[in-house]
Amino acid sequence: MGSNNHIDSTAARDEQSLWQDDDGPEPSTTDSSELHIRSSLSSDIEDARLPLPIWMQESSKSFCWKWVPLPIRKISRSIIAWSKGPQPPVKLKIAPFYAFIQEAPLRILDRYLPRRVYKAALLVVTYFCWFLTFSLVLHRSANSGSIEGYGQPQPLWCGASYWSGGNSCGIDGNNCRPFDDATLAFKCPADCKSVIVLNPRAVGDQEVSYETLVIGGPADDASGSNFYRGDSFLCQAAIHAGVINNADGGCGVVSLSGRQESFSGSKRHGIQSFGFDASFPQSYTFISGISSNCGEVDLRWPLLAVTVIFTTMISIFTSSPAVFFASLFTMLFFHVGLVSDKPNIYDYPSLSSLMVERFLPSTFVAFVIYKYCVKPQLSGLTAQIEKSILWLGGAWVGALNNYTFDRIPIQRLTPHDLRAQPGAVPALATIVVLIFVIALGQIWYLRLEGRLRRYLAIYTVMGSFLVICVIIPTLSLRIHHYVLAILLLPGTGIQTRTSLLYQGILVGLFINGVARWGFDSILQTEAALIGDGQLDSLLPNLTTSVVGVASATFGWALPPAPYDGISVLVNDVERHRWYYGEGGPSYTRERHGHVEKEYFRFGYMRGSGSADYTRAGVWDVDGSWRTMKPGPSR
């Protein structure tokens, strides 16, 4: 009864307070039990109230966003609430398949080497064994081969040639002499067939683009001449001639043969050569019967086996993310830079110096990758076999980019190349869709771990930086594959099987990009992007052309500023230069003795450098003139 009376008196006081003026005296303080009962009653009254209408909730919570339509505000609030993820967050962790088997290497190591110092000693011995084996095989590859009568062959890169394009060889090709009576013992690496011409190269009235550059050689039935034009890529010509093979490389002896009247085209050993039905002052052929004495040249496959074995051993027997990542990053970096996709340097002391120069700054980036991507993913992971297959296997796929992703028809991610290279646009669309699908999966996992908002902020900063780079005038944004790896790696710091694969591939791509090309800038000038490609410059305007069987005379309008001269190519060889003050703006070409077809191209000069040339006009053997087609050439 006492408690009921107490509740009635409390309710009466509450009722009285409802009618009191706001300026009246405060009610007297009650004891703690009365406060507890009052708050309970207040809670019951609050729960009994009807919810506020949605428009009143919107007005109180989103007044500053009232101009945004209500459905959009509701959807936005739902997305924001969804992005927070479940509470508490779910910590993703891989439960190994057949855990007893996958964790066996760690148990064996703990059983026979229980102390940490023993494990460290074993790791040092493993490093030493890899370094010793790798160095011995590399030394053998670098110094193998000696051709009797010609000495040790000279290493060449896959795109080496005697003759340079355009007017680089000067008037009559004098800068590229000798033309004949010279031999060279050479050594080519493996996989030279994959090297293609990225910028269009004129061969008479033909244009070579995104193809191998071999002109001439034996015909399809192995008949005819074995001569190759001087600007053919020598290693690819050797594959075409059957002197070496693409898988292993090889060495041989090439002999300069001087002027040839024509060159036949054919497809041999997987390489299509182009024909050229006019003369060229420099040609070469291969001396047969000596390549078998070359010895082992390119030992990239034995070296790959060596590094794969040691990296797999470290992956299986190592549970520390730091030891795992540091070991594999170092081994893969030097394997790519010295063996599988090395820069175009074949002096190994210079190449080793370059690799150390690139390795040191890359370790700082690698540390950031480890701390924020690799360590969160690999900490506590005991699935040793799955880690080796997914992470390490993916890293090898990315590191061997010249054998894997380079087969995709996208050589450079620039608007010009995407338009010019066959199949580039569909390939890019496929890649974008694939990345989008993968990103959706990673977003879901990041949300489960409660990290989605943080990573959205990171990618917002990255995206803003890229937008700023795009709008900078006079510079163009170029996404190298090492940059692509850095952009995508933050989203892989989750312990799932798919993330293991993605992270491994991206780390491999980063290693390949830096070891092969260095930290090339993502902002490049137009000239750096074009390289030896077409400049989209003005083309000469031929005002007169008097053509007969014995001679042909061409005249042109005076060059506009800033050009001061004209260069004339005949059969892709510069035969004439005209500058202001050197007589009339014309050139006469005469035929003596043997009559042959000739291809003429004209380009403006600025000092000693040339702009784009016209496409080829043809002076035929009957004295007729076929006007050049519109458009530039190089």
Side-chain angles (χ1 to χ4, degrees):
M1 292 295 292
S3 60
N4 290 337
N5 292 335
H6 184 70
I7 293 174
D8 292 341
S9 61
T10 302
R13 283 197 300 270
D14 289 341
E15 183 178 0
Q16 182 180 1
S17 66
L18 292 173
W19 297 100
Q20 284 181 347
D21 195 329
D22 292 340
D23 297 331
E26 294 291 332
S28 61
T29 305
T30 58
D31 58 17
S32 60
S33 62
E34 183 178 354
L35 288 174
H36 176 72
I37 295 171
R38 174 177 289 183
S39 49
S40 298
L41 288 172
S42 301
S43 177
D44 293 339
I45 295 171
E46 184 73 23
D47 292 341
R49 291 177 183 173
L50 293 174
L52 287 174
I54 187 64
W55 66 269
M56 293 183 66
Q57 295 181 32
E58 290 293 328
S59 299
S60 61
K61 297 180 179 180
S62 307
F63 182 77
C64 61
W65 299 101
K66 65 179 181 179
W67 54 273
V68 178
L70 178 59
I72 296 179
R73 293 206 299 269
K74 293 175 64 176
I75 293 173
S76 301
R77 282 200 309 275
S78 300
I79 293 175
I80 293 172
W82 178 86
S83 66
K84 189 176 181 180
Q87 297 300 322
V90 178
K91 182 62 177 177
L92 298 175
K93 186 174 178 63
I94 293 176
F97 296 123
Y98 304 101
F100 180 80
I101 296 176
Q102 294 205 56
E103 295 171 359
L106 301 180
R107 291 196 305 272
I108 293 172
L109 201 63
D110 288 336
R111 178 178 179 181
Y112 292 100
L113 298 174
R115 297 181 59 183
R116 190 171 182 177
V117 64
Y118 297 157
K119 297 175 183 177
L122 178 61
L123 184 64
V124 171
V125 171
T126 304
Y127 289 158
F128 176 77
C129 292
W130 170 78
F131 178 78
L132 181 63
T133 308
F134 187 86
S135 300
L136 291 175
V137 177
L138 187 64
H139 177 77
R140 181 180 179 184
S141 175
N143 295 280
S144 64
S146 179
I147 301 177
E148 184 177 355
Y150 299 95
Q152 188 170 358
Q154 177 180 338
L156 301 177
W157 80 283
C158 296
S161 65
Y162 280 105
W163 192 281
S164 304
N167 68 339
S168 302
C169 289
I171 297 292
D172 298 329
N174 289 326
N175 296 340
C176 294
R177 288 183 179 274
F179 294 160
D180 56 6
D181 294 331
T183 58
L184 172 69
F186 66 90
K187 177 167 61 177
C188 293
D191 198 35
C192 279
K193 194 166 66 175
S194 65
V195 175
I196 59 177
V197 177
L198 296 180
N199 293 314
R201 176 80 71 88
V203 178
D205 59 352
Q206 306 171 81
E207 190 171 75
V208 181
S209 182
Y210 299 106
E211 298 176 271
T212 55
L213 184 59
V214 178
I215 306 165
D220 293 317
D221 57 359
S223 63
S225 68
N226 294 326
F227 297 106
Y228 294 89
R229 217 173 81 161
D231 53 349
S232 300
F233 289 167
L234 198 150
C235 290
Q236 292 183 347
I239 296 173
H240 183 268
V243 175
I244 65 175
N245 66 76
N246 182 64
D248 303 315
C251 59
V253 178
V254 61
S255 175
L256 287 174
S257 306
R259 175 189 171 96
Q260 298 297 323
E261 300 301 327
S262 64
F263 301 85
S264 58
S266 62
K267 185 170 185 178
R268 305 179 79 241
H269 303 105
I271 291 182
Q272 176 67 56
S273 73
F274 293 86
F276 184 65
D277 56 352
S279 64
F280 198 80
Q282 186 185 65
S283 66
Y284 59 80
T285 189
F286 297 99
I287 299 176
S288 60
I290 59 173
S291 61
S292 59
N293 300 322
C294 182
E296 295 181 89
V297 178
D298 196 320
L299 296 177
R300 65 180 62 195
W301 302 117
L303 281 168
L304 176 64
V306 168
T307 309
V308 166
I309 290 172
F310 278 95
T311 53
T312 303
M313 289 172 55
I314 291 175
S315 176
I316 290 177
F317 287 94
T318 301
S319 60
S320 167
V323 174
F324 170 82
F325 181 72
S327 304
L328 269 58
F329 184 88
T330 302
M331 290 181 174
L332 264 66
F333 189 95
F334 284 99
H335 180 88
V336 170
L338 297 175
V339 181
S340 65
D341 199 9
K342 57 188 176 184
N344 299 325
I345 300 174
Y346 290 91
D347 171 21
Y348 273 92
S350 300
L351 181 60
S352 301
S353 175
L354 179 63
M355 285 302 101
V356 173
E357 175 187 328
R358 292 178 176 177
F359 178 72
L360 292 178
S362 70
T363 55
F364 290 95
V365 182
F367 174 76
V368 177
I369 293 173
Y370 166 75
K371 183 174 182 180
Y372 295 102
C373 304
V374 177
K375 186 178 180 180
Q377 183 188 81
L378 299 184
S379 295
L381 179 65
T382 58
Q384 301 298 98
I385 297 177
E386 291 181 73
K387 178 182 70 174
S388 301
I389 294 174
L390 296 174
W391 202 104
L392 178 60
W396 274 113
V397 170
L400 298 176
N401 174 66
N402 52 323
Y403 289 97
T404 54
F405 299 115
D406 257 7
R407 309 303 179 183
I408 299 173
I410 301 177
Q411 295 299 319
R412 295 176 298 193
L413 200 58
T414 61
H416 174 270
D417 287 289
L418 293 176
R419 291 192 302 267
Q421 187 170 5
V425 174
L428 179 62
T430 303
I431 292 172
V432 169
V433 171
L434 182 62
I435 291 177
F436 178 75
V437 172
I438 292 173
L440 291 179
Q442 297 304 103
I443 287 173
W444 175 258
Y445 291 132
L446 287 170
R447 174 187 172 273
L448 291 179
E449 288 202 343
R451 294 192 284 165
L452 179 58
R453 292 184 179 181
R454 186 191 320 162
Y455 280 81
L456 288 177
I458 293 173
Y459 279 103
T460 299
V461 173
M462 289 182 177
S464 301
F465 174 73
L466 294 179
V467 170
I468 293 173
C469 292
V470 168
I471 63 178
I472 294 177
T474 71
L475 292 175
S476 298
L477 175 66
R478 182 176 178 186
I479 303 296
H480 307 278
H481 47 286
Y482 85 87
V483 177
L484 183 64
I486 292 176
L487 292 175
L488 298 180
L489 269 168
T492 63
I494 318 160
Q495 196 176 113
T496 63
R497 290 179 174 85
T498 54
S499 296
L500 284 175
L501 178 62
Y502 302 153
Q503 188 174 101
I505 292 174
L506 292 173
V507 169
L509 278 176
F510 173 81
I511 291 173
N512 179 273
V514 177
R516 176 64 177 89
W517 305 103
F519 286 98
D520 205 4
S521 175
I522 65 172
L523 287 176
Q524 294 184 323
T525 62
E526 185 177 356
L529 285 174
I530 292 175
D532 61 351
Q534 296 172 358
L535 306 173
D536 292 329
S537 61
L538 295 175
L539 300 175
N541 179 25
L542 296 184
T543 57
T544 58
S545 53
V546 180
V547 181
V549 175
S551 66
T553 300
F554 304 95
W556 50 79
L558 295 177
Y563 305 111
D564 57 0
I566 292 284
S567 170
V568 182
L569 302 183
V570 181
N571 291 347
D572 304 328
V573 180
E574 189 174 37
R575 296 300 186 181
H576 180 70
R577 288 185 185 182
W578 173 90
Y579 290 96
Y580 278 109
E582 296 184 354
S586 64
Y587 169 65
T588 299
R589 175 84 172 170
E590 295 182 352
R591 285 171 169 169
H592 301 282
H594 177 71
V595 177
E596 63 172 4
K597 180 188 293 185
E598 290 184 322
Y599 297 91
F600 288 77
R601 293 190 287 141
F602 302 84
Y604 285 129
M605 298 282 294
R606 186 178 181 181
S608 59
S610 64
D612 288 339
Y613 286 88
T614 63
R615 295 196 177 186
V618 182
W619 185 22
D620 220 326
V621 291
D622 60 358
S624 62
W625 170 252
R626 189 163 72 240
T627 305
M628 60 278 294
K629 297 179 181 178
S633 67
R634 291 292 286 178

